[in-house]
């Protein structure tokens, strides 16, 4: 019929107009697959040419064909070509553990006055166990160990060089054979050089805080060979990114550290400016990564990608969520002891106290501008409160702040009752708490090493420490659903107040009045109707509803 | 019993607009209340999408209605008046129970009684525009900065929009009930479907109820 087809065309047109006006609600967007969403297209553009290439085979370099008997010799060989590498590296935080001064002029960083609620302090280097992660040889902060990051073979260097020293003057054939074998292993390892792999970075960063998954909930040994479900970027069955794919490096300065300064000051896309460090999600995915019209694109100004795309952390290995130092020092039958939880992790260690481990942990959310404020051993704290050893900076009014997911580690740790400062007890070495189980002595030694006075009186305070959650990005099927935040009670963002969120917030008085009006209307018409039925019966048939 | 005659009261466009509007408003209410956190029906994401898409669609359709109401001269049906208003109030509060005749019978050029005029005018000129404007603002939340509205609070936009929703629900309840007050329970609904309404043939219509006469200076 002609008439109806005209009507149909009119409505198709009308629909079209409304959709054009709707813009972000464009229906046709639904037909565009997610794989062609602008964010994914941009990400592929920014990463597709990735192919590791090199013009150098280190096994052919004469400098590396030596019989190395010490780490320093290997480094010397590296520097014979890479003349500036050590100078560059000495300026990086990986070497200095120094993060510069904070607003109060206190030097920050692991090697300085920063403290946390894990192993608390490095005591300016006096706590030797911290050096298990320093990129140097023999636990001494002397010569850079290039192979920690660039070596592609796992070697126990300390043991190897010890054995070489012990065997070098031996004349028997057996010893000579072993000596030659170790020499050859060391040489092969020194020649196996490459860009840092996940394993290289993981050597330290998976074990931060003294064990697998202790510190970071989103970085543990499971990230050495993750599948896509664990990390969509690093998954070996997917994009297979190494850490350095995003943590780009200029003169050994590795991008992406979030601590006193944000990882990236600008949320720029690589497409806009290919000099931007490839460290924010937006660098590759743009600020509107979802298919056109998807509401999630409107969220990127307030909500970090990580908030939805990392639904839980510690998805394979447990992570430590609580560490109560005040329980440390107990003995069983006069000896230190340990207890294990159902996850197979230490729930009690005499040298460390009580600990709680968790898996599949939901993050906690805070406004975050990319910087974290942390307490130093010099700061005066309020022992009556839970002390935020570190806390994200940011505010919902700040256009650079986003709602960001964090692992919040809770602890109890010693402080100076009189000076009201967090103390850094010495833990390792023969005089450390781990050997003596004597707080008084360990604190005194630790404070001496830091050069900070100790009143002689300690007690324990409750603390929190935050770690931004940015790895373990889940595939899109597993992201946080809308209603996990947009819900009346118990949503993920229940603790973030001061703004209106649809589905979560309402003006209670309005809802009460509104429903009263609605119920009142219903009651009114019901009464009126009943009245008519009743009157109809009395007035006789048709009497009550005559007229129109 | 008086004699009834059929008159063609509602044009095809009017009827279409009425039912289209009804359908859209019902879905807007259902999805809106879901977004408000009352229940889970479509799923939050789908509810938001439906609500936004229908809201924008309705804006466009409303523009057509405004165009129609002015070009057809039907706006005159919505001019408010107090004449016979008290008779109407008395009728609904008393006369209807006594079986008294309706004080303002429908006619082609006087479709609405004074109460209807007032309610429909408030609806079309105030409540619905408030809903549309607050809805547009709500929808455009991310653009407030570029629109120069950064001082606006989403809280208050949401409150206004929600208050409007309650008013509309209340209107629907009363409006639907009023359809039963015709000469039969379903007479008014049938009329809004077919366009034909049965009215008493003997009912007199007063001049003021008719469409205003066209001004004389208009050339015909």
């Amino acid at each position: 019929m002609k008439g109806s087809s005209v009507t149909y065309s009119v409505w198709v047109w009308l629909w079209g107009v409304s959709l054009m006006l709707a813009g972000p609600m464009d229906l046709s967007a639904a037909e565009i697959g997610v794989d062609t969403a602008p964010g994914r297209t941009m990400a592929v553009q920014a990463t597709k040419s990735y192919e590791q290439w090199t013009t150098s085979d280190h096994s052919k370099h004469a400098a590396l064909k030596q019989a190395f008997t010490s780490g320093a010799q290997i480094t010397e060989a590296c520097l014979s070509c890479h003349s500036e590498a050590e100078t560059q590296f000495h300026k990086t935080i990986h070497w200095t553990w120094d993060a510069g001064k904070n607003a109060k002029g206190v030097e920050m960083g692991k090697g300085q006055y920063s403290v946390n609620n894990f192993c608390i302090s490095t005591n300016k280097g006096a706590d030797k166990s911290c050096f298990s992660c320093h990129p140097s040889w023999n636990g001494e902060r002397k010569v850079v160990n290039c192979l920690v990051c660039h070596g592609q073979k796992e070697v126990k260097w300390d043991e190897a060089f010890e054995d070489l020293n012990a065997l070098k003057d031996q004349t028997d054939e057996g010893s000579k054979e072993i000596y030659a074998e170790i020499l050859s292993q060391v040489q092969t390892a020194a020649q196996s050089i490459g860009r840092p792999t996940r394993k290289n970075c993981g050597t330290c960063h998976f074990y931060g805080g003294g064990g697998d998954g202790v510190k970071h909930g989103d970085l543990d040994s499971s990230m050495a060979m993750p599948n896509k479900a664990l990390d969509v970027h690093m998954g070996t069955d997917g994009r297979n990114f190494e850490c350095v794919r995003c943590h780009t490096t200029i003169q050994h300065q590795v991008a992406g550290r979030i601590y006193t300064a944000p990882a990236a000051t600008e949320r720029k896309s690589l497409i806009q400016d290919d000099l931007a460090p490839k460290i924010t999600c937006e660098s590759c995915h743009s600020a509107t990564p979802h298919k056109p019209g998807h509401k999630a694109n409107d969220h990127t100004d307030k909500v970090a990608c990580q908030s939805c795309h990392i639904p839980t952390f510690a998805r394979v290995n447990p992570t430590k969520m609580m560490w109560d130092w005040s329980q440390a020092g107990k003995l069983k039958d006069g000896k230190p002891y340990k207890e294990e939880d159902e996850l197979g992790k230490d729930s009690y260690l005499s040298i460390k106290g009580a600990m709680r481990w968790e898996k599949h942990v939901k993050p906690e959310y805070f406004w975050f501008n990319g910087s974290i404020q942390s307490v130093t051993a010099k700061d005066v704290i309020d022992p009556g409160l839970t002390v935020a050893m570190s806390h994200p900076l940011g505010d919902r009014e700040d256009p650079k702040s986003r709602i960001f997911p964090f692992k919040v580690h809770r602890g109890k740790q010693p402080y100076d009752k009189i000076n009201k400062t967090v103390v850094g007890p010495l833990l390792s070495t023969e005089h450390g708490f781990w050997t003596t189980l004597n707080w008084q002595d360990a604190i005194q030694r630790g404070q001496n090493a830091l050069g900070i006075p100790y009143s002689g009186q300690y007690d324990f305070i409750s603390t929190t420490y935050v770690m931004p959650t940015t790895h373990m990005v889940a595939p899109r099927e597993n992201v946080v659903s809308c209603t996990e935040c947009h819900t009346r009670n118990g949503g993920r963002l229940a603790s973030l107040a001061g703004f209106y969120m649809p589905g979560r917030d309402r003006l209670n008085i309005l809802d009460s009045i509104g429903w009263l009006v609605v119920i009142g209307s219903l009651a009114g018409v019901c009464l009126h109707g009943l009245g008519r039925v009743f009157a109809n019966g009395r007035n006789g048939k048709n009497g009550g509803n005559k007229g129109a | 019993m008086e004699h009834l005659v059929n008159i063609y009261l509602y044009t095809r466009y009017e009827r279409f607009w009425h039912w289209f509007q009804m359908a859209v408003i019902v879905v807007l209410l259902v999805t809106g209340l879901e977004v408000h956190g009352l229940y889970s029906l479509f799923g939050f994401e789908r509810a938001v999408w439906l609500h936004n898409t229908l809201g924008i669609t309705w804006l466009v359709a409303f523009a057509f209605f405004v165009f129609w109401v002015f070009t057809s001269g039907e706006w005159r049906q919505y001019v408010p008046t107090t004449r016979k208003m008290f008779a109407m109030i008395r009728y609904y509060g008393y006369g209807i129970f006594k079986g008294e005749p309706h004080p303002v019978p429908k006619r082609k050029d006087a479709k609405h009684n004074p109460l209807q005029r007032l309610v429909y005018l408030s609806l079309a000129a105030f409540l619905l525009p408030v809903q549309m404007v607050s809805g547009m603002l709500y929808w455009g939340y991310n653009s407030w900065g570029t629109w120069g509205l950064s001082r606006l609070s989403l809280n208050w936009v949401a409150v206004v929009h929600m208050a409007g929703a309650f008013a509309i629900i209340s209107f629907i309840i009363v409006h639907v009930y009023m359809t039963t007050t015709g000469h039969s329970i379903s007479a008014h609904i049938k009329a809004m479907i077919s366009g034909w309404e049965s009215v008493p043939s003997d009912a007199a219509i007063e001049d003021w109820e008719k469409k205003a006469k066209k001004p004389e200076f208009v050339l015909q």
Side-chain angles (χ1 to χ4, degrees):
Chain A
M1 242 164 63
K2 201 185 170 197
S4 68
S5 78
V6 169
T7 318
Y8 177 72
S9 318
V10 166
W11 280 100
V12 166
W13 178 80
L14 217 174
W15 187 247
V17 170
S18 66
L19 289 177
M20 270 190 284
L21 279 171
M25 292 303 130
D26 195 344
L27 230 203
S28 61
E31 289 147 27
I32 300 172
V34 178
D35 284 320
T36 54
R40 285 185 68 82
T41 310
M42 288 177 119
V44 169
Q45 280 169 5
T47 57
K48 70 178 173 189
S49 60
Y50 176 61
E51 208 172 279
Q52 199 171 333
W53 60 270
T54 174
T55 52
S56 184
D57 178 350
H58 282 80
S59 68
K60 291 180 180 166
H61 289 288
L64 294 174
K65 285 178 179 170
Q66 303 175 40
F68 297 112
T69 54
S70 76
Q73 288 172 9
I74 299 178
T75 298
E76 201 183 319
C78 300
L79 297 179
S80 68
C81 292
H82 302 276
S83 60
E84 305 311 306
E86 191 179 40
T87 324
Q88 288 173 2
F89 193 72
H90 278 164
K91 291 177 186 161
T92 70
I93 196 163
H94 271 123
W95 181 258
T96 62
W97 292 2
D98 186 342
K101 288 181 180 173
N102 67 10
K104 294 177 197 159
V106 180
E107 287 106 336
M108 308 279 290
K110 287 189 184 83
Q112 293 291 345
Y113 297 103
S114 288
V115 279
N116 61 38
N117 61 8
F118 295 90
C119 287
I120 306 176
S121 169
T122 65
N123 307 101
K124 287 212 153 194
D127 202 334
K128 293 298 172 197
S129 69
C130 304
F131 281 97
S132 65
C133 265
H134 206 272
S136 55
W137 301 101
N138 309 323
E140 291 172 320
R141 197 164 165 264
K142 284 182 183 165
V143 181
V144 172
N145 180 349
C146 308
L147 299 174
V148 173
C149 301
H150 294 284
Q152 302 302 301
K153 287 229 185 323
E154 266 186 278
V155 178
K156 288 182 175 160
W157 297 105
D158 293 359
E159 276 177 34
F161 292 133
E162 222 168 274
D163 291 349
L164 285 178
N165 264 323
L167 295 166
K168 73 177 171 199
D169 298 324
Q170 301 288 318
T171 50
D172 63 293
E173 282 308 306
S175 298
K176 278 183 172 174
E177 210 173 286
I178 299 171
Y179 185 79
E181 200 180 305
I182 299 174
L183 267 189
S184 140
Q185 278 173 5
V186 167
Q187 194 184 62
T188 313
Q191 292 171 347
S192 308
I193 298 301
R195 278 157 55 114
T197 63
R198 289 182 293 249
K199 217 165 193 172
N200 289 113
C201 305
T203 305
C204 294
H205 293 280
F206 295 162
Y207 303 91
D212 195 5
V214 168
K215 212 168 185 183
H216 300 278
D218 61 336
L219 279 181
D220 58 42
S221 63
S222 68
M223 293 290 276
M225 294 291 272
N227 58 15
K228 262 168 82 175
L230 182 59
D231 190 294
V232 80
H233 299 110
M234 292 166 70
T236 49
D237 49 346
R239 305 293 299 181
N240 201 14
F241 286 178
E242 302 286 352
C243 308
V244 293
R245 191 76 196 99
C246 296
H247 293 271
T248 51
T249 303
I250 299 167
Q251 299 189 336
H252 284 99
Q253 297 274 5
V254 182
R257 200 176 131 275
I258 295 177
Y259 189 36
T260 45
T265 46
E266 281 188 87
R267 310 180 72 86
K268 254 188 180 175
S269 133
L270 264 180
I271 314 299
Q272 283 172 282
D273 177 1
D274 61 5
L275 293 175
K278 288 173 252 182
I279 206 64
T280 66
C281 309
E282 287 175 27
S283 303
C284 290
H285 290 281
S286 84
T288 50
H290 309 93
K291 65 186 180 188
H294 198 285
K295 189 67 194 163
N297 280 334
D298 291 343
H299 283 57
T300 58
D301 59 338
K302 296 285 178 200
V303 184
C305 306
Q306 289 91 333
S307 292
C308 297
H309 288 269
I310 307 174
T312 58
F313 54 84
R315 294 206 288 271
V316 175
N317 296 333
T319 187
K320 196 185 278 190
M321 296 302 291
M322 190 279 292
W323 186 336
D324 182 356
W325 278 104
S326 72
Q327 303 289 315
K330 290 185 208 164
L331 301 174
K332 227 179 217 173
D333 307 322
K335 285 180 185 164
Y337 67 103
K338 70 173 195 173
E339 283 166 4
E340 253 183 30
D341 63 14
E342 62 280 5
L343 296 165
K345 293 295 207 176
D346 296 328
S347 55
Y348 183 79
L349 274 176
S350 293
I351 61 164
K352 291 186 176 178
M355 293 161 285
R356 195 180 67 244
W357 295 75
E358 287 175 30
K359 267 174 89 171
H360 297 287
V361 190
K362 270 189 197 178
E364 293 179 39
Y365 300 84
F366 301 98
W367 289 100
F368 183 43
N369 65 15
S371 290
I372 290 174
Q373 189 173 45
S374 43
V375 170
T376 70
K378 290 184 170 180
D379 292 320
V380 173
I381 48 113
D382 181 352
L385 302 172
T386 295
V387 177
M389 296 298 287
S390 73
H391 198 74
L393 293 175
D395 186 274
R396 61 172 222 91
E397 301 296 338
D398 169 15
K400 283 191 174 176
S401 290
R402 302 285 186 283
I403 294 171
F404 201 97
F406 289 86
K407 169 185 165 177
V408 181
H409 180 263
R410 292 180 162 80
K412 267 194 172 178
Q413 63 187 102
Y415 81 105
D416 185 324
K417 278 174 83 172
I418 308 300
N419 295 326
K420 295 193 167 46
T421 55
V422 172
V423 292
L426 185 69
L427 298 176
S428 69
T429 77
E430 56 182 322
H431 299 297
F433 181 81
W434 287 344
T435 313
T436 66
L437 297 184
N438 181 339
W439 277 122
Q440 192 64 273
D441 184 59
I443 293 170
Q444 188 64 64
R445 286 174 188 276
Q447 294 296 90
N448 287 350
L450 284 166
I452 296 174
Y454 172 50
S455 70
Q457 291 189 48
Y458 70 90
D459 202 350
F460 292 86
I461 41 162
S462 295
T463 55
T464 56
Y465 190 86
V466 293
M467 260 124 340
T469 305
T470 194
H471 305 98
M472 294 191 183
V473 175
R476 61 173 176 266
E477 309 83 74
N478 302 338
V479 299
V480 172
S481 69
C482 307
T483 42
E484 289 186 55
C485 299
H486 294 276
T487 185
R488 281 276 168 89
N489 301 307
R492 283 177 184 249
L493 302 185
S495 64
L496 291 182
F499 61 98
Y500 184 91
M501 188 163 76
R504 181 190 72 171
D505 301 317
R506 57 183 159 151
L507 188 65
N508 286 319
I509 181 101
L510 171 73
D511 276 27
S512 306
I513 294 172
W515 290 118
L516 265 178
V517 168
V518 169
I519 291 164
S521 308
L522 260 177
V525 300
C526 285
L527 282 174
H528 199 269
L530 278 173
R532 280 167 57 210
V533 171
F534 180 70
N536 194 11
R538 229 181 31 185
N539 295 341
K541 161 175 144 346
N542 212 22
N545 51 14
K546 204 158 52 172
Chain B
M1 184 184 159
E2 71 234 318
H3 182 60
L4 294 176
V5 290
N6 284 332
I7 57 170
Y8 187 67
L9 209 53
Y10 307 113
T11 62
R12 190 184 291 168
Y13 175 75
E14 267 177 295
R15 285 176 280 139
F16 166 78
W17 168 241
H18 175 269
W19 293 113
F20 173 80
Q21 189 172 220
M22 182 215 73
V24 169
I25 288 178
V26 164
V27 182
L28 281 173
L29 277 173
V30 169
T31 53
L33 291 177
E34 177 165 2
V35 173
H36 192 57
L38 274 173
Y39 45 76
S40 188
L41 185 66
F42 292 100
F44 189 86
E45 193 173 349
R46 189 169 290 268
V48 169
W49 183 85
L50 269 170
H51 196 81
N52 288 342
T53 308
L54 275 178
I56 298 293
T57 306
W58 191 39
L59 271 186
V60 176
F62 194 80
F64 277 81
F65 166 73
V66 172
F67 177 77
W68 169 81
V69 89
F70 283 107
T71 51
S72 66
E74 285 291 313
W75 59 271
R76 293 182 183 88
Q77 305 270 11
Y78 297 87
V79 174
T81 173
T82 51
R83 294 181 69 172
K84 282 211 177 178
M85 184 183 270
F86 294 100
M88 283 305 304
I89 293 169
R90 187 192 167 277
Y91 172 70
Y92 283 127
Y94 179 78
I96 193 167
F97 301 113
K98 289 279 171 194
E100 287 175 8
H102 194 290
V104 189
K106 289 182 188 306
R107 283 288 180 270
K108 178 74 184 164
D109 43 7
K111 294 172 186 167
H112 305 141
N113 67 53
L115 284 182
Q116 284 177 307
R117 286 174 184 233
L118 196 67
V119 170
Y120 296 161
L121 179 70
S122 313
L123 201 68
F126 177 71
L127 184 54
L128 297 184
V130 162
Q131 259 338 55
M132 285 185 277
V133 169
S134 59
M136 267 297 278
L137 285 173
Y138 204 144
W139 174 77
Y141 172 69
N142 286 84
S143 309
W144 287 5
T146 45
W147 293 349
L149 297 170
S150 43
R151 294 176 61 90
L152 209 59
S153 135
L154 181 63
N155 191 9
W156 287 109
V157 170
V159 161
V160 168
H161 203 59
M162 193 62 205
F166 281 124
I168 289 173
I169 298 174
S170 176
F171 165 80
I172 290 173
I173 291 168
V174 177
H175 184 68
V176 169
Y177 169 71
M178 296 303 261
T179 64
T180 66
T181 61
H183 66 84
S184 75
I185 295 283
S186 59
H188 287 331
I189 291 178
K190 279 181 183 158
M192 195 43 87
I193 293 169
S194 67
W196 291 87
E197 177 97 71
S198 303
V199 295
S201 61
D202 54 350
I205 176 164
E206 296 181 23
D207 273 353
W208 62 268
E209 291 174 31
K210 296 176 182 172
K211 269 196 211 180
K213 288 201 176 77
K214 289 199 170 81
E216 280 163 13
F217 52 84
V218 172
L219 294 171
Q220 303 226 25

